Amino acid sequence: MAPQESRGGSIARRVYDVGDADVVFVPFFATMSAEMQLGVGKGVFRRKVVGNEDYMRQKQVVDLVRSSEAWKRSGGRDHVFVLTDPVAMWHVRSEIAPAVLLVVDFGGWYRLDSKASDGNSSDMVQHTQVSLLKDVIVPYTHLLPRLHLSENLNRSTLLYFKGAKHRHRGGLVREKLWDLLANEPSVVMEEGFPNATGREQSIKGMRSSEFCLHPAGDTPTSCRLFDAILSLCIPVIVSDNIELPFEGMVDYSDFSVFAAVSDSLQPNWLVEHLKSFSKAQKDMFRHNMARVQPMFEYENGYPGGIGPIPSDGAVNYIWRKVHQKLPVIKEAIIRDKRKPKDVTIPLRCHCT
């Protein structure tokens, strides 16, 4: 929406004829819609009823988009939806499965709903719906301000974590790690909540620590990882199923420590492993982190966000990732055109 004359390094360009478009962006704020419904009527959130306004909005969007010539032309494969919450567009996921989905991870898609009683529940989202082949992992919005390398001070704590101790599913590892690490003299483990006090404590804790622990929560990742990067606190990622934004464009091993869950749950293993890194290695991690910090920032400094975007910022990198999907999208569209009438080609999206 920035004026064309002020646009600079963005790879994306808006066109007004769908015939000129490589992809069709669907500007529906699915996460906001879900949050609005959860705020006024959580009890009906998972039900397809009139009182669920989020469901009604989802249905309106899908009916509108799927009736368009653009969708019919591609089967929806060249459409882009933003689904940055595990419950966004919950009721219509199967209907938009062919599209490019911008998601923060796949944890909310692969998981079995906690209330389900068996593996055949309709709440299980099939692996054919999300894939690294067609979808794009995007960063959470960081909550803490950026610390520049020139502002970095001495760090007195070895490892820091602030967050909820008790989680579900894969997040159960967090509770075990907490019990192992809580009494270590060089480690700080704090219960925390997303309020103003918690934010100030997190800023102080991350900026005074060498390493910041990133265990899986209810899903494999969280905004904590990006807060650590913006705080120049070396991420320690203990999440075996994590998917990360912009891989292939950035190598996270240049500035992060990856530890297997099985190793990390051994007594004393993680602390001793972190102590083995030299000052030179930690300094290199931080220098590498400082170079990639802009990739995880959405802000462009303009009121309402309407204005030129930084060429090295998150928005441009997301569109660069979408651009990388174009050959696969075009191939899928062409394959679909040549199939005989009434013949269905099974979805083959699963990618490891």
Side-chain angles (χ1 to χ4, degrees), residues 108-352:
W109 291 81
Y110 288 176
R111 73 173 177 80
L112 184 65
D113 184 79
S114 59
K115 295 181 181 179
S117 58
D118 61 78
N120 295 318
S121 169
S122 60
D123 285 335
M124 175 66 85
V125 179
Q126 301 300 316
H127 287 243
T128 51
Q129 293 192 29
V130 287
S131 167
L132 291 176
L133 287 173
K134 70 177 186 67
D135 301 319
V136 174
I137 305 295
V138 303
Y140 279 86
T141 301
H142 62 88
L143 302 179
L144 305 186
R146 179 180 178 181
L147 177 71
H148 295 270
L149 193 60
S150 61
E151 303 171 302
N152 186 55
L153 301 175
N154 291 331
R155 295 170 179 261
S156 56
T157 301
L158 177 69
L159 180 64
Y160 177 79
F161 174 82
K162 186 178 185 64
K165 178 180 179 180
H166 304 288
R167 295 284 87 182
H168 304 294
R169 296 177 290 277
L172 294 175
V173 171
R174 182 186 296 186
E175 190 168 341
K176 296 177 182 178
L177 281 170
W178 191 295
D179 292 337
L180 281 173
L181 297 169
N183 295 320
E184 290 285 341
S186 56
V187 176
V188 175
M189 304 289 287
E190 296 178 335
E191 283 274 6
F193 304 93
N195 54 33
T197 301
R199 181 176 183 273
E200 292 304 314
Q201 291 172 342
S202 293
I203 292 173
K204 181 180 179 181
M206 285 193 169
R207 292 187 176 190
S208 61
S209 302
E210 297 277 15
F211 298 93
C212 283
L213 184 64
H214 182 74
D218 289 344
T219 57
T221 190
S222 71
C223 65
R224 185 177 294 103
L225 172 60
F226 307 101
D227 284 336
I229 292 172
L230 271 291
S231 302
L232 295 176
C233 186
I234 302 165
V236 179
I237 299 173
V238 184
S239 181
D240 291 350
N241 297 317
I242 196 168
E243 299 291 351
L244 296 164
F246 315 139
E247 288 205 269
M249 298 174 173
V250 61
D251 185 346
Y252 283 79
S253 62
D254 287 342
F255 55 86
S256 305
V257 174
F258 289 86
V261 169
S262 58
D263 289 333
S264 301
L265 292 181
Q266 296 179 32
N268 302 318
W269 184 90
L270 189 57
V271 169
E272 293 304 314
H273 181 55
L274 298 181
K275 287 180 178 179
S276 72
F277 287 91
S278 67
K279 182 179 184 302
Q281 287 175 305
K282 291 182 286 189
D283 287 344
M284 183 58 69
F285 275 142
R286 260 185 283 279
H287 277 84
N288 292 337
M289 212 183 316
R291 285 200 296 269
V292 301
Q293 281 179 323
M295 295 176 63
F296 305 107
E297 293 198 90
Y298 287 96
E299 181 58 55
N300 66 353
Y302 289 84
I306 300 176
I309 62 169
S311 60
D312 60 351
V315 173
N316 208 35
Y317 271 92
I318 290 170
W319 284 118
R320 286 177 63 183
K321 267 295 184 182
V322 172
H323 185 261
Q324 289 181 356
K325 309 293 180 183
L326 292 183
V328 174
I329 292 170
K330 291 177 180 178
E331 179 180 335
I333 293 171
I334 292 170
R335 287 178 66 246
D336 194 55
K337 283 182 179 179
R338 53 86 170 159
K339 71 180 182 182
K341 185 179 179 182
D342 298 326
V343 173
T344 58
I345 299 175
L347 294 173
R348 298 184 181 91
C349 290
H350 186 44
C351 176
T352 57

Side-chain angles (χ1 to χ4, degrees), residues 2-16:
Q4 190 62 39
E5 63 274 10
S6 66
R7 295 171 63 86
S10 175
I11 191 175
R13 182 170 63 91
R14 187 181 185 187
V15 296
Y16 295 88

Side-chain angles (χ1 to χ4, degrees), residues 87-103:
V87 297
M89 300 293 274
W90 180 266
H91 294 291
V92 296
R93 286 179 166 188
S94 61
E95 296 175 67
I96 62 173
V100 179
L101 308 178
L102 308 186
V103 297

Side-chain angles (χ1 to χ4, degrees), residues 45-109:
F45 181 75
R46 295 191 185 276
R47 295 164 54 195
K48 296 181 179 181
V49 295
V50 175
N52 185 348
E53 294 185 6
D54 178 44
Y55 163 64
M56 300 303 293
R57 286 188 288 264
Q58 292 177 35
K59 189 174 184 302
Q60 288 177 336
V61 169
V62 169
D63 288 347
L64 175 66
V65 173
R66 287 172 62 92
S67 65
S68 70
E69 290 304 315
W71 183 280
K72 294 174 184 176
R73 177 190 69 178
S74 68
R77 291 176 177 85
D78 57 1
H79 284 52
V80 179
F81 289 83
V82 184
L83 306 181
T84 53
D85 189 284
V87 297
M89 300 293 274
W90 180 266
H91 294 291
V92 296
R93 286 179 166 188
S94 61
E95 296 175 67
I96 62 173
V100 179
L101 308 178
L102 308 186
V103 297
V104 292
D105 61 32
F106 291 154
W109 291 81

